[in-house]
Structures are given as structure tokens and as C-alpha cells.
Amino acid sequence: MGKATVRLRYLARRARKLRPGNLIEFARQAQKVSRAPLPVLIADMLWCSLKYDMGFRDYAVWDIRLLSAKERATWMTHPKSFRITRMHNTPEGRARLEDKRRFAREYADLLGRETIDLRDVDDAELGSFLARHPKVLAKPFEGQGGGGITLYENVTDAAAFRAEITAAGQSIVDEFIVQHPQMSALYPDSVNTVRMITFLDTRGGEPGRVHLLAAVLRIGNGDVIDNFASGGMFTMLDEQGIALYPGVDKKSNVYAEHPVTGTPIVGFAVPMYDEIVALTEKLARRTPEAPYVGWDLAITPEGPVVIEGNHNSSVFQPKPSASGVRTGLLPVYQAAVGF
């Protein structure tokens, strides 16, 4: 599918789904860093949507109102990410990652954790799994953004548990991950993860080069998961796994330290980062059918474990008002992907 076709289809879908409430919501969010009147911000958002292929949340989270035209042109956006996905990730590649049942089977040697699907085990096997893991997470067999995930503890009745989570549309049961003490010090009530966004470039032939487009630390804040959509925050990591900037959440709140634990975010060192990078490269090479992936990994005392691979990864970049960085990662993506 050509670039022009993908973009036109995407713009058509966005136009059909356009809600005035979204424009106002994100314009008010942009007012945290700009005194411009709402009509001016809304007009600028619409202009950037067309000129830079930019989502409304992109505009608000990355303080686009503060930037010059030259600076704005450097920002990676969610619409651009969507196009990379559609152009490079094949249906087979997307299926390998999206089907949690298949993912657990085909990546079992790399996961570093135990997971089962109720469709594959009887009550005796389920009971044995629950006995080995006093805390488990039940997930829908389809879903994104951390939605529909429930924590269970000390389950003793396997049949009743099966009936309960099946009624809730869940079939995947994961071992609850006990995270590394350093990660727990950030926020103990969720598993804090890293997202490693990669592109496997095979244009030079096998085995190809794995480009690390962005390394992101995601931190929970009020929920059992650390997703941006669930109130979590993120910051960018350097090549050694050190947090570069304060945390930012989806409402553009900025946190120099975690509001619950008081742990400083800038300078936080992700443990076992070399192992994370090595595992990420193995994952990327395992999935040539989907070269563009956002890998979510947690860190236990024994090493990194894999949560999932996102074939339609979100975009993460420094927030200018929090970081002082006024240019985005578009050049990094362009160099790796070749667009």
C-alpha cells in the first residue's frame, strides 16, 4: 500500500471521528504552556494536523504551540507511526503479536515468565498454575492499552475462577511479576516497565540491523498498570538506561519526583539495562514480519521479562516544557525506516 493511499485513508478516518470536544480538551491542555485564546489554539491544532500530520494529543503533550515551524517539522507523530505500521508490518506479523495466545507460545523461550490461556488447560492444570502463583493478572484475549486487566490473589477454586474471568471476557492468565526493588522504589503498586521501540531494517540483507528508535521508562501512578492511558507517566532514557527528564502524564502534568513515593525521576537508573537491550534485539529479530514494534519489558531481580509486543506502537518524545528539548525524533525514525 503506497504512502499517499495510507495517509488519505488515515485522514479520512480521522475526519469521520473528529469530535469538537477533543479539540477543546486538548486546546485547554495546551493552555498550560501558552496564553493563546482557545480559538487560536484550535486553529493552530487543525493547521498542524494537516501540515505536519499531527494528532491533537501530539500537539498538546509535546507543547507544539511553543515551537517554531522548523522545530515543529522535527516531531514524530501518531499518524506517521500508524503509516509505518501499515506499510511495514504485515498481517502475519501483526497477528503474531496481537494474538496473546499465539504470542505466549511462539515467544515462550524469551518471555521469562509463565502465562496460560484458559482455552488450553483444564481445571487441574489451572489449579496448579494458581498454586504456583498466588498473584495473577487476568487479561482479555484481545485488547490494547492495558484495558480489561484484573489482579487476583490467593485463588483456591479454579473452576469458580474460570467462570468469573470467562464471564468478564478474559482468558489469558499471567504470573504476576515481582519487580526489581529499584523499579518498585519508583512506584510499588504497579509494575513499571520500559518500552523499547525498534525497527528491523533488512534492506541490506539478513540478518539486518535493529534500530532502537526510542527507549522509554513508564511509571504507574494510581493503577495496577503503568499505561499512559491509565494515569501513568513516562520519561525518556539515554543509552545507559538513565532517565533524562521529569515524568509526564497524558494531561501534561510534569513530575520531577513521583507524587506517591517521592523518588526522583530525573537520573533514575533502570537496572539491568544492558540485558534489556540484548533481549530487545532478540525479540526484534524474531519478528521480521513486523519490523516496527514497541516492546514492553519489566525488570525482575533475575532479569528482564517480556510483557508484550505492540505492532502499532505509541510515540514517545521529550516534552519541551519539561525537558528543554525543542526538537523531536522524526529524523531518527526517518534514518531508520527510510521515509
Side-chain angles (χ1 to χ4, degrees), residues 168-245:
Q170 299 165 321
S171 69
I172 307 295
V173 185
D174 287 347
E175 166 191 355
F176 183 82
I177 296 169
V178 178
Q179 65 183 335
H180 193 285
Q182 288 174 237
M183 299 299 288
S184 186
L186 270 177
Y187 180 64
D189 294 333
S190 78
V191 176
N192 308 300
T193 62
V194 292
R195 174 164 294 189
M196 308 290 277
I197 303 176
T198 59
F199 186 81
L200 177 62
D201 182 3
T202 57
R203 288 174 295 180
E206 295 294 341
R209 177 183 174 188
V210 177
H211 296 268
L212 180 58
L213 304 176
V216 185
L217 173 60
R218 307 195 309 168
I219 309 165
N221 185 20
D223 205 336
V224 71
I225 55 177
D226 62 357
N227 293 71
F228 204 53
S230 300
M233 65 186 79
F234 79 91
T235 185
M236 310 301 294
L237 299 172
D238 69 10
E239 294 180 353
Q240 285 73 47
I242 308 298
L244 291 166
Y245 316 114

Side-chain angles (χ1 to χ4, degrees), residues 27-144:
R28 291 193 186 283
Q29 189 171 324
Q31 283 187 316
K32 290 187 175 183
V33 297
S34 171
R35 295 182 179 180
L38 279 179
V40 172
L41 288 169
I42 290 172
D44 196 30
M45 287 170 62
L46 291 170
W47 164 247
C48 288
S49 177
L50 295 173
K51 174 67 174 176
Y52 304 108
D53 208 7
M54 183 174 290
F56 301 144
R57 188 183 297 279
D58 296 343
Y59 181 97
V61 171
W62 294 316
D63 303 330
I64 299 300
R65 178 64 187 176
L66 300 179
L67 307 179
S68 68
K70 184 177 181 179
E71 292 166 340
R72 291 177 176 195
T74 68
W75 287 83
M76 186 61 190
T77 68
H78 281 85
K80 290 185 177 75
S81 176
F82 178 86
R83 291 210 309 277
I84 294 174
T85 295
R86 288 302 175 188
M87 291 178 64
H88 293 278
N89 290 354
T90 67
E92 168 66 10
R94 295 196 294 267
R96 288 187 71 189
L97 298 174
E98 193 167 62
D99 185 332
K100 292 182 173 60
R101 187 185 199 181
R102 182 177 175 184
F103 183 76
R105 289 172 174 171
E106 296 186 9
Y107 295 77
D109 60 312
L110 297 177
L111 293 184
R113 61 182 176 83
E114 191 174 4
T115 181
I116 61 170
D117 190 305
L118 294 187
R119 295 168 289 182
D120 297 329
V121 298
D122 59 23
D123 283 350
E125 292 169 304
L126 175 59
S128 178
F129 179 91
L130 294 170
R132 289 194 301 275
H133 306 296
K135 294 176 71 173
V136 297
L137 293 175
K139 303 177 180 179
F141 67 91
E142 292 181 351
Q144 295 179 341

Side-chain angles (χ1 to χ4, degrees), residues 142-315:
E142 292 181 351
Q144 295 179 341
I149 298 176
T150 309
L151 173 66
Y152 289 88
E153 298 186 55
N154 301 314
V155 178
T156 57
D157 189 330
F161 175 74
R162 180 190 296 272
E164 180 177 346
I165 71 170
T166 299
Q170 299 165 321
S171 69
I172 307 295
V173 185
D174 287 347
E175 166 191 355
F176 183 82
I177 296 169
V178 178
Q179 65 183 335
H180 193 285
Q182 288 174 237
M183 299 299 288
S184 186
L186 270 177
Y187 180 64
D189 294 333
S190 78
V191 176
N192 308 300
T193 62
V194 292
R195 174 164 294 189
M196 308 290 277
I197 303 176
T198 59
F199 186 81
L200 177 62
D201 182 3
T202 57
R203 288 174 295 180
E206 295 294 341
R209 177 183 174 188
V210 177
H211 296 268
L212 180 58
L213 304 176
V216 185
L217 173 60
R218 307 195 309 168
I219 309 165
N221 185 20
D223 205 336
V224 71
I225 55 177
D226 62 357
N227 293 71
F228 204 53
S230 300
M233 65 186 79
F234 79 91
T235 185
M236 310 301 294
L237 299 172
D238 69 10
E239 294 180 353
Q240 285 73 47
I242 308 298
L244 291 166
Y245 316 114
V248 178
D249 68 17
K250 71 175 184 178
K251 294 184 179 179
S252 289
N253 296 313
V254 176
Y255 303 92
E257 58 186 34
H258 198 286
V260 174
T261 63
T263 301
I265 293 173
V266 178
F268 178 85
V270 173
M272 303 183 181
Y273 190 70
D274 287 345
E275 294 179 40
I276 291 169
V277 173
L279 177 55
T280 298
E281 181 157 346
K282 291 179 182 178
L283 290 164
R285 294 193 184 283
R286 178 70 64 87
T287 319
E289 306 92 339
Y292 177 51
V293 182
W295 303 100
D296 291 341
L297 289 81
I299 302 92
T300 74
E302 290 73 39
V305 300
V306 183
I307 306 298
E308 63 182 350
N310 300 273
H311 67 80
N312 188 19
S313 179
S314 292
V315 178

